[in-house]
Amino acid sequence: MSVQPAPRRILTLALTIFVLLLAHPTGASGANADNPLAPADTSSPRATLSGFIETLNQGHAQLSKIVSSYINSPRLYLSARERAEVDRVLEKVELARRTLDLSELPAALAESLSTYRILQLKEVLDRLELPDFESIPDATAMEAEQFKRWSLPGTEITIARVEQGPRAGEYLFSPETVERLPEFYRRIKHLPYQPGASAGWYEGYRYGGAGLRRVIPYKWMLALPDWAKTPVLDQPVWRWFGTAIMLSFTAVLLLLVRRATKAWARRGSASRLRSQWSQLAWVISLLVLIPIVAHVLTDNLRLSGHVLEVATLSLWAIFTLVLTWAAWLGSTVLAESIVSSQQLLAGSIDSQLIRLGLRLVAAILSVTILVVGAQQLGIPAYSVIAGLGVGGIAVALAAKDSLANLLGSLLIMFEKPFRVGHWIKVGTTEGIVESIGFRSTRIRTFYNSLVSIPSNQLVNTTVDNMAVRKRRAVRTILHINYTTPADTVEHFVAAIKQLIEDSPHTYKKWSRIRLDDFGEYGLQILVNFLLEVSDNQLEQAERQRLLLEILKLAETMDIQFAIPPRLPPLDRLPDQN
């Protein structure tokens, strides 16, 4: 790219400043300077086309004067007065954007692409021989037309009435026209400009560096060497250097944040919760940096063409996925923080309900993020919702057993038939509940094995919760020899009754202590009573104490316990080593 003559450089710079600031307008205004709130006149194809051309021509003329003054001054930057004048001009220029129907552009690209589309349309119109404005239909003429659209003669550039939405009834350059403007520009750019055209606007913006106006003076950008302005993949070399520097700086910053968060997680008493907070902090840093990178690439370095579209859509897609990730990770971290702050058992039902509730919130939030993100990328919301619906049905059919277990877990969590730490019996399984998950419940048996029972099976079977007993039954049969005198038996039964009555942990209003039957190998004494204790350990300790007291009573009264016939007498048992 060769160095342009001074007048051409001034003009190019003026165009660059103009289109740059057009991309960041301060507000909208009407054609009437006395009424800054007056909207653009889009009542007919004539009003829309004439308003677009006149607004841009006037803005270009005024901005050229301002930039010429700046170029001829010794200053590196525009003065405050010049910036204020530029802003006042651009309050009118924003109306040009209002004449384009941008509804079918991806929302993530609409802001940055609209500037290119405005300039491409102006370049095309500046090279065409336009009809006299009086021959273009006005609002009255369009009322009589069956089809509410008008095409520029000899072209496919169409101005059509918007039929629905907030701008219904306005005549705008149609979405098809806006989409095909790059094609129209490529086909016509070899033609000469018509008299009075504003030459060089699009190329000045496309390859210019005014996006760095608050960092690098315009005069320095104009003085760049030719090699720095050479296009590579439709971007000047200096822009690729800037992009590489920006991405490298971002990568280094992310690495430093990652190391800092990991160091914080390892400091003090390292825990899983601190590690999760560390990961969440890094994800949040990603969410902060991605919009900054997008702003620098699109607004400051000002990528263009396909590179702009790919970069913007990729960054927005990454931002959407990272935000979804942050929602899930945030719900997990928040749930664990609540469980930790309330000092709840990690596997308890209350803890699981907190986790489940926050995960449901995260799921709803994630779906919302994906739908909004897809809309920003130009994917219709109904397509995303339909895809999620079909995917959900497929997952439901493929994982119906898992869903049944999940529902079973929800029933257990809400009905709370048992808790972590309870002693329960489920069929042939008996033990202490260790955890209640979303798929199964784990029970530690009394022989120290760990049994996992699917939640769906658990809610469809009988569960005997031994831990919620108010009183705990003790029932045993004592067998004593038939040679024991009746009076001794009577005194033995009375002594056991008194022992039960005197115990501080027995229920005094109910007990069954009596000679119950003549057994096969001895007299049967029923010992049946209730213990009032709070847990299994106290139950076992009190049961042992009372049984030992009964043994001592038997020794005191010289009562011999009967031995089943299938066992040899005690004096004939083999010696034990």
Side-chain angles (χ1 to χ4, degrees):
M1 184 180 291
S2 61
V3 179
Q4 299 172 341
R8 180 60 181 270
R9 285 191 300 170
I10 295 174
L11 179 58
T12 301
L13 182 60
L15 300 175
T16 302
I17 295 175
F18 163 71
V19 293
L20 169 75
L21 295 176
L22 179 61
H24 305 281
T26 57
S29 175
N32 185 356
D34 295 333
N35 182 10
L37 298 180
D41 187 357
T42 54
S43 59
S44 66
R46 179 193 298 178
T48 298
L49 181 61
S50 62
F52 177 85
I53 295 174
E54 291 173 7
T55 299
L56 294 185
N57 285 342
Q58 292 173 7
H60 172 263
Q62 295 175 26
L63 288 173
S64 295
K65 294 178 182 179
I66 298 172
V67 175
S68 296
S69 173
Y70 160 72
I71 290 294
N72 295 323
S73 71
R75 290 176 285 103
L76 289 178
Y77 298 95
L78 290 174
S79 65
R81 181 186 61 80
E82 289 170 338
R83 288 197 298 270
E85 290 178 0
V86 169
D87 288 339
R88 283 194 293 271
V89 172
L90 292 179
E91 288 177 354
K92 300 179 182 179
V93 175
E94 166 61 9
L95 294 179
R97 190 192 306 269
R98 299 285 295 170
T99 63
L100 273 62
D101 189 344
L102 306 173
S103 59
E104 294 190 10
L105 285 180
L109 288 171
E111 182 68 21
S112 53
L113 279 185
S114 62
T115 302
Y116 287 100
R117 296 297 184 261
I118 290 172
L119 298 177
Q120 288 166 344
L121 178 57
K122 186 63 168 65
E123 289 283 333
V124 170
L125 295 178
D126 280 347
R127 287 175 166 85
L128 291 175
E129 186 175 347
L130 300 178
D132 185 70
F133 285 149
E134 295 300 324
S135 65
I136 302 174
D138 58 8
T140 303
M142 291 306 298
E143 287 295 328
E145 295 291 337
Q146 179 180 2
F147 300 105
K148 308 302 181 183
R149 54 194 302 119
W150 175 82
S151 296
L152 192 64
T155 73
E156 296 178 88
I157 299 174
T158 302
I159 299 175
R161 189 173 72 176
V162 179
E163 298 298 337
Q164 56 185 3
R167 304 197 67 185
E170 296 186 51
Y171 283 89
L172 307 177
F173 289 98
S174 67
E176 296 81 5
T177 298
V178 173
E179 182 181 0
R180 298 185 62 189
L181 281 173
E183 173 195 346
F184 295 158
Y185 173 71
R186 287 194 301 270
R187 290 162 55 182
I188 203 173
K189 66 179 182 179
H190 66 282
L191 297 179
Y193 286 106
Q194 294 291 327
S198 304
W201 282 35
Y202 178 61
E203 294 299 320
Y205 180 73
R206 191 179 185 184
Y207 298 113
L212 300 170
R213 64 192 184 278
R214 296 189 184 277
V215 180
I216 301 176
Y218 302 133
K219 295 178 180 179
W220 291 7
M221 296 302 299
L222 287 174
L224 286 174
D226 289 345
W227 65 265
K229 301 176 184 178
T230 303
V232 176
L233 296 179
D234 203 32
Q235 314 295 318
V237 171
W238 70 263
R239 194 175 288 167
W240 287 114
F241 275 107
T243 301
I245 292 172
M246 180 63 194
L247 295 180
S248 300
F249 176 78
T250 303
V252 170
L253 189 58
L254 283 174
L255 181 61
L256 292 176
V257 171
R258 186 62 172 168
R259 288 185 177 180
T261 54
K262 282 187 175 182
W264 174 81
R266 290 193 297 266
R267 190 172 56 195
S269 58
S271 66
R272 182 167 176 265
L273 182 58
R274 288 177 70 91
S275 177
Q276 289 174 336
W277 273 110
S278 168
Q279 189 175 14
L280 181 60
W282 187 76
V283 172
I284 292 175
S285 68
L286 266 178
L287 292 177
V288 173
L289 287 175
I290 289 174
I292 294 176
V293 172
H295 176 79
V296 171
L297 295 182
T298 59
D299 295 346
N300 296 116
L301 294 174
R302 217 171 54 219
L303 299 177
S304 61
H306 294 297
V307 176
L308 168 65
E309 296 183 23
V310 171
T312 303
L313 294 179
S314 298
L315 287 171
W316 181 258
I318 294 172
F319 181 83
T320 301
L321 294 177
V322 172
L323 188 58
T324 305
W325 180 19
W328 276 102
L329 185 58
S331 69
T332 301
V333 172
L334 182 58
E336 296 303 327
S337 298
I338 294 174
V339 170
S340 177
S341 65
Q342 298 297 321
Q343 297 182 345
L344 301 174
L345 292 175
S348 67
I349 293 180
D350 291 336
S351 299
Q352 295 287 22
L353 282 176
I354 291 172
R355 295 188 184 101
L356 177 62
L358 289 175
R359 284 179 185 175
L360 288 176
V361 172
I364 296 172
L365 186 58
S366 297
V367 171
T368 303
I369 292 171
L370 290 175
V371 171
V372 173
Q375 287 182 308
Q376 294 292 314
L377 296 173
I379 304 174
Y382 63 82
S383 299
V384 180
I385 296 173
L388 292 174
V390 173
I393 293 174
V395 170
L397 292 176
K400 58 180 180 180
D401 291 337
S402 297
L403 291 176
N405 288 327
L406 176 59
L407 293 176
S409 297
L410 293 177
L411 288 175
I412 293 172
M413 291 176 184
F414 285 111
E415 292 184 1
K416 298 182 179 179
F418 51 82
R419 296 175 180 269
V420 172
H422 282 187
W423 168 20
I424 65 172
K425 296 179 180 179
V426 182
T428 58
T429 302
E430 180 178 1
I432 307 299
V433 178
E434 279 202 354
S435 68
I436 303 169
F438 292 110
R439 194 195 71 83
S440 63
T441 295
R442 295 183 178 181
I443 301 174
R444 179 72 65 179
T445 65
F446 294 123
Y447 42 91
N448 205 35
S449 67
L450 187 63
V451 179
S452 295
I453 303 178
S455 299
N456 185 41
Q457 176 183 338
L458 202 59
V459 297
N460 290 313
T461 190
T462 301
V463 177
D464 189 0
N465 192 338
M466 308 295 289
V468 295
R469 294 172 294 171
K470 295 181 179 179
R471 303 178 185 91
R472 308 189 179 209
V474 178
R475 187 182 188 279
T476 187
I477 301 292
L478 304 179
H479 298 269
I480 63 177
N481 288 335
Y482 276 110
T483 58
T484 306
D487 289 344
T488 303
V489 173
E490 185 176 4
H491 291 157
F492 184 52
V493 170
I496 294 176
K497 286 183 178 179
Q498 190 61 43
L499 176 65
I500 301 302
E501 287 289 331
D502 293 341
S503 174
H505 296 291
T506 56
Y507 183 58
K508 306 303 186 294
K509 294 183 179 179
W510 188 92
S511 64
R512 297 290 185 269
I513 315 296
R514 61 173 178 260
L515 177 62
D516 192 57
D517 203 353
F518 295 96
E520 179 181 356
Y521 53 89
L523 299 172
Q524 294 182 353
I525 298 176
L526 172 66
V527 179
N528 192 3
F529 59 92
L530 299 176
L531 289 175
E532 290 186 322
V533 289
S534 58
D535 56 47
N536 295 336
Q537 291 184 346
L538 286 176
E539 176 187 1
Q540 297 300 323
E542 187 64 15
R543 179 189 178 98
Q544 174 180 283
R545 187 186 69 81
L546 291 173
L547 292 178
L548 286 174
E549 291 292 335
I550 291 174
L551 281 176
K552 292 176 182 179
L553 284 175
E555 291 176 358
T556 302
M557 296 182 180
D558 196 23
I559 294 175
Q560 299 294 321
F561 288 98
I563 298 176
R566 62 179 178 273
L567 296 178
L570 292 177
D571 57 355
R572 297 183 186 177
L573 290 176
D575 294 337
Q576 302 294 323
N577 294 328

